[in-house]
């Protein structure tokens, strides 16, 4: 092989190596974007979960008030009082869960 042919071969190999490196960097960037989107989806889902806890606590409290105020049966009144007492507990559980997940996700970012 001539020196000129060897030089062309070396240049071609360098170009191919550069193309492989560029492709690998592009894939790495795409993977990073997917990871960032996954964190965003997790944060949004966590917010939705908090809203579901709030909705459940409010519904339970409202149902308890309705039972307590409008039905004149002792057992139903006790169930209504229990529902009103349980609703803040559900709300607190939801808030604690929200902040735990948020902290865990923020640590991962």
């Amino acid at each position: 092989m001539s020196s000129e042919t060897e030089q062309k071969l070396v240049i071609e190999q360098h170009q191919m190596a550069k193309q492989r490196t560029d492709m690998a960097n592009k894939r790495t960037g795409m993977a990073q974007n997917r990871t960032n989107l996954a964190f965003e989806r997790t944060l949004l889902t966590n917010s939705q979960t908090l809203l579901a806890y709030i909705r459940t606590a409010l519904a339970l409290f409202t149902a308890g008030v309705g039972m307590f105020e409008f039905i004149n049966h002792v057992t139903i009144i006790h169930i209504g009082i229990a529902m009103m007492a349980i609703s803040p507990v559900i709300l607190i559980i939801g808030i604690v869960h929200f902040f735990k997940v948020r902290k865990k996700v923020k640590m991962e970012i």
Side-chain angles (χ1 to χ4, degrees), residues 62-73 76-77 79-80 83:
T62 304
V65 168
M67 288 181 173
F68 181 75
E69 291 291 327
F70 300 116
I71 299 175
N72 291 326
H73 191 275
I76 302 296
I77 290 174
I79 292 172
M83 290 172 75

Side-chain angles (χ1 to χ4, degrees), residues 58-105:
L58 283 173
L60 198 60
F61 187 80
T62 304
V65 168
M67 288 181 173
F68 181 75
E69 291 291 327
F70 300 116
I71 299 175
N72 291 326
H73 191 275
V74 177
T75 306
I76 302 296
I77 290 174
H78 289 300
I79 292 172
I81 291 171
M83 290 172 75
M84 288 187 292
I86 290 172
S87 67
V89 174
I90 291 174
L91 182 63
I92 290 169
I93 290 170
I95 292 170
V96 168
H97 179 264
F98 172 79
F99 283 109
K100 277 180 156 179
V101 171
R102 189 172 84 168
K103 182 179 177 183
K104 189 174 183 179
V105 169

Side-chain angles (χ1 to χ4, degrees), residues 6 12 14 19 28 30 37 40 58 61 80 90-91 106:
E6 288 177 7
E12 188 177 307
H14 283 352
Q19 287 175 346
T28 301
M30 290 169 54
L37 289 174
E40 288 297 320
L58 283 173
F61 187 80
I90 291 174
L91 182 63
K106 294 287 184 182

Side-chain angles (χ1 to χ4, degrees), residues 37-57:
L37 289 174
F39 283 126
E40 288 297 320
R41 280 192 306 270
T42 303
L43 290 173
L44 290 172
T45 302
N46 191 33
S47 297
Q48 286 180 331
T49 303
L50 176 62
L51 291 173
Y53 273 106
I54 293 170
R55 182 180 60 236
T56 302

